[in-house]
Each structure stands twice: as structure tokens, then as C-alpha cells.
């Protein structure tokens, strides 16, 4: 049984996540959010920069979910970006995004910026998408385009095979982290129909999981957080 479970994890494409937050309660909350997603694996957590850098070198995460507080040093994560042994996608949670602050953060090669008030669904979808294009909270998009018009590539409006309007609706609700029963209730359709739509969405997007379908939907501009 243990071998079978190990093979299952190996076959499934897992996103390895490192969590950093100074406050132990905040850190435990972020860990709980990540653990709730079966396609994510927590490879470590830290409360200070030295531990964070050591874990980054040792564990080789795909993404680092990092809380940045008012009391923290300016851009303290920058040494991680110069570490040649790893190239994780860094997702910043912060209240320090007023004005052009988020643009400064993204200029350090951070892949995503979210407010600390972001929902678990927004955090999960952002971490999943962070390995691709830069991820911004909707309120920050206009500022980023004004400063970096040539660094922002237009995303295709449609996948190789277009999703139906209903499939887009289902995908948008999937991005909110809802299960099949909740989706069925929201759209006034049966759970069987929801399963059919999710299967069709996955086939059209070449996705192997719900998380990957949401990630591809975000990258192709089909849905928004």
C-alpha cells in the first residue's frame, strides 16, 4: 500500500512549496492552505532569512510563499534570486503594495504579489500559476502595464479547442476552490453534468488535474482571480 501511494505521488505532478512567515500562527495558516491542495507538497517552512535560504538550497522548491511585513527589511528575499542552485517562483503576501510598491517588488524578479487579505483560493491559484507569467492582483494590473508595456505578453484568448461558455463558468468557479456539489448548486445543474464539464475542460486544455486546468485557464486569459 505504501509503495502504491508513493508511485501515485510520483506519477502526479506535485508543486513543491516552501512557506515563510515570521509569525508562527500566520505560518501555520499558510501551511494549512497549501496542504489542502492535493497537488501541492510542503517541503519546509521558516521564520527567518537564514533558515529560508538553507531550506531553499536543500529542498529545491518550485515556489516560495513568503509573507512580507512592515517590520521586515526591504526586499529581504533578494539573496534567494541570486542563488544559482535554485530558481523558485516567489509569491509575496504583503500589505505594502500601495502606489507603485508592487511594481518595485516585481522588478526584483518576484513572480506574484498578493495582499495579505487574499483568500485561500486566490493563494492556491496564484502559487499554481506563478511558474508561468507574472501574476498580479487585479488592482495592480494597470500600474504594471503602464511601467512595463513591453514585458507583458498578450495571452491567447482561447485554447487550442475553444471552451463553451458553460465550461468557462465551471472553470471560473473551480478557481474559487469549490467542489463539484457546490458548483452544481451554484449553476443549478447536476453533479454528473459538472463532472462531464470538468472532463471536457481538462481534455481541451490538456490538463491532468483541476489545479492545472485552473492554471492554464489563468495563463490563457480565460478566467481571472
Amino acid at each position: 500500500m505504501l509503495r502504491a501511494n508513493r508511485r501515485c505521488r510520483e506519477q502526479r505532478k506535485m508543486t513543491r512549496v516552501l512557506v515563510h512567515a515570521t509569525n508562527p500562527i500566520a505560518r501555520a495558516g499558510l501551511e494549512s492552505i497549501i496542504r489542502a491542495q492535493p497537488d501541492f507538497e510542503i517541503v519546509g517552512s521558516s521564520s527567518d532569512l537564514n533558515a529560508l535560504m538553507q531550506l531553499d538550497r536543500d529542498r529545491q522548491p518550485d515556489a516560495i510563499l513568503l509573507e512580507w511585513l512592515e517590520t521586515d527589511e526591504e526586499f529581504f528575499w533578494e539573496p534567494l534570486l541570486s542563488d544559482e542552485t535554485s530558481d523558485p517562483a516567489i509569491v509575496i503576501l504583503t500589505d505594502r503594495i500601495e502606489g507603485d510598491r508592487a511594481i518595485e517588488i516585481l522588478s526584483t524578479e518576484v513572480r506574484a504579489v498578493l495582499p495579505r487579505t487574499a483568500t485561500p483560493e486566490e493563494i492556491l491559484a496564484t502559487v499554481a500559476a506563478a511558474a508561468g507569467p507574472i501574476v498580479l492582483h487585479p488592482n495592480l494590473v494597470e500600474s504594471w502595464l503602464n511601467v512595463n508595456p513591453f514585458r507583458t505578453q498578450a495571452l491567447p484568448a482561447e485554447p487550442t479547442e475553444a471552451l463553451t461558455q458553460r465550461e468557462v463558468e465551471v472553470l471560473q468557479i473551480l478557481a474559487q476552490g469549490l467542489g463539484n456539489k457546490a458548483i452544481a448548486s451554484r449553476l443549478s445543474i447536476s453533479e454528473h453534468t459538472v463532472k462531464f464539464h470538468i472532463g471536457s475542460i481538462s481534455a481541451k486544455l490538456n490538463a491532468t488535474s483541476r489545479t492545472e486546468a485552473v492554471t492554464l485557464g489563468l495563463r490563457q486569459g480565460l478566467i481571472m482571480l
Side-chain angles (χ1 to χ4, degrees), residues 166-180:
R166 177 62 86 185
E167 288 168 350
V168 172
E169 291 174 348
V170 171
L171 187 59
Q172 181 67 65
I173 300 175
L174 273 178
Q176 299 170 22
L178 299 185
N180 290 1

Side-chain angles (χ1 to χ4, degrees), residues 91-200:
V91 177
I92 301 291
L93 287 168
T94 184
D95 293 326
R96 305 168 70 171
I97 55 175
E98 67 285 350
D100 294 330
R101 196 57 160 171
I103 308 307
E104 291 183 66
I105 298 172
L106 291 168
S107 296
T108 67
E109 298 185 18
V110 164
R111 301 305 301 169
V113 180
L114 286 175
R116 290 175 63 229
T117 55
T119 65
E121 292 76 19
E122 288 176 327
I123 291 172
L124 288 171
T126 300
V127 172
I134 286 175
V135 180
L136 286 172
H137 192 267
N139 296 341
L140 305 173
V141 171
E142 185 174 352
S143 296
W144 173 253
L145 291 176
N146 288 338
V147 176
N148 296 277
F150 301 107
R151 289 187 60 185
T152 306
Q153 298 179 351
L155 297 177
E158 298 181 352
T160 304
E161 184 178 352
L163 301 187
T164 66
Q165 182 60 42
R166 177 62 86 185
E167 288 168 350
V168 172
E169 291 174 348
V170 171
L171 187 59
Q172 181 67 65
I173 300 175
L174 273 178
Q176 299 170 22
L178 299 185
N180 290 1
K181 186 174 182 179
I183 296 173
S185 176
R186 176 84 65 88
L187 297 177
S188 299
I189 58 179
S190 69
E191 288 187 60
H192 176 78
T193 302
V194 171
K195 291 180 181 178
F196 174 81
H197 285 315
I198 292 175
S200 179

Side-chain angles (χ1 to χ4, degrees), residues 20-27 30 46-48 65-77 91-98 101 105 114-117:
H20 173 87
T22 304
N23 185 286
I25 296 177
R27 192 164 64 253
L30 294 176
S46 68
S47 59
D48 63 76
L65 179 59
L66 185 153
E67 184 181 50
W68 185 34
L69 303 177
E70 290 283 352
T71 54
D72 291 327
E73 293 183 12
E74 288 285 284
F75 305 157
F76 70 87
W77 59 83
V91 177
I92 301 291
L93 287 168
T94 184
D95 293 326
R96 305 168 70 171
I97 55 175
E98 67 285 350
R101 196 57 160 171
I105 298 172
L114 286 175
R116 290 175 63 229
T117 55

